[in-house]
């Protein structure tokens, strides 16, 4: 990963993820799970921008394909590109804002929705959530 190509998005929004089918090339399960676990740790503490990607990819932890592993590596390339981003809190007028969204049945495997929300104070994220219904 030292000389990898850096990317601007952790997950391409046009990609639809599907469960492994017979004949699909499978990735190494333990390696995939280790990377997912490490990314989950980051999402819980500091990296809200990876919440949806990690949530979506973790659904395939028991039988990941090489496509899933490729997308996971894309998330790592995104993480490398954005490693110097920080949250900065400045003194100013305190404003609280919140946003939420849902994809209404966007998972093509079980037709469940994924929803998420984010809350910010003075433009800095303080709380976030991405959950499958």
């Amino acid at each position: 990963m030292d000389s990898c190509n850096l990317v601007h998005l952790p997950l391409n929004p046009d990609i639809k993820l599907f469960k492994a089918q017979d004949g699909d090339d499978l990735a190494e399960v333990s390696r995939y799970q280790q990377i997912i676990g490490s990314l989950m740790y980051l999402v819980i503490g500091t990296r809200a921008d990876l919440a949806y990607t990690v949530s979506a990819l973790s659904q395939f932890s028991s039988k990941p394909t090489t496509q899933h592993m490729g997308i996971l590596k894309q998330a790592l390339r995104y993480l490398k590109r954005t490693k110097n981003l920080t949250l900065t809190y400045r003194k100013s007028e305190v404003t609280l804002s919140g946003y939420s969204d849902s994809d209404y049945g966007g998972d093509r495997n079980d037709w469940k929705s994924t929803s998420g929300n984010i809350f910010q104070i003075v433009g800095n994220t303080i709380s976030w959530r991405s959950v499958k219904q």
Side-chain angles (χ1 to χ4, degrees):
M1 298 297 298
D2 289 335
S3 60
C4 67
N5 294 329
L6 306 179
V7 295
H8 294 279
L9 293 172
L11 178 65
N12 185 332
D14 297 329
I15 291 180
K16 298 296 181 192
L17 299 171
F18 296 99
K19 293 180 182 179
Q21 303 294 320
D22 291 337
D24 286 349
D25 292 333
L26 299 179
E28 183 184 344
V29 175
S30 62
R31 181 79 173 139
Y32 187 87
Q33 291 172 345
Q34 289 171 354
I35 297 169
I36 287 288
S38 297
L39 290 176
M40 280 184 178
Y41 179 79
L42 289 175
V43 167
I44 290 170
T46 61
R47 296 302 301 253
D49 53 338
L50 292 172
Y52 175 76
T53 302
V54 173
S55 175
L57 290 173
S58 66
Q59 298 175 52
F60 307 102
S61 290
S62 63
K63 197 173 180 184
T65 65
T66 53
Q67 178 199 20
H68 299 137
M69 183 60 91
I71 296 168
L72 190 58
K73 287 180 181 178
Q74 178 179 338
L76 293 175
R77 291 194 304 269
Y78 169 80
L79 190 62
K80 182 175 181 179
R81 180 184 168 276
T82 59
K83 68 183 175 185
N84 294 323
L85 293 180
T86 61
L87 295 175
T88 304
Y89 295 96
R90 294 184 176 93
K91 284 187 174 182
S92 68
E93 183 179 329
V94 177
T95 57
L96 174 66
S97 55
Y99 306 93
S100 66
D101 195 12
S102 179
D103 68 356
Y104 301 107
D107 188 329
R108 300 294 186 234
N109 293 302
D110 59 11
W111 297 101
K112 291 186 178 179
S113 300
T114 300
S115 60
N117 60 51
I118 184 169
F119 292 96
Q120 298 177 323
I121 291 181
V122 193
N124 291 290
T125 303
I126 58 166
S127 175
W128 59 88
R129 183 177 182 199
S130 176
V131 64
K132 189 173 182 180
Q133 300 295 317

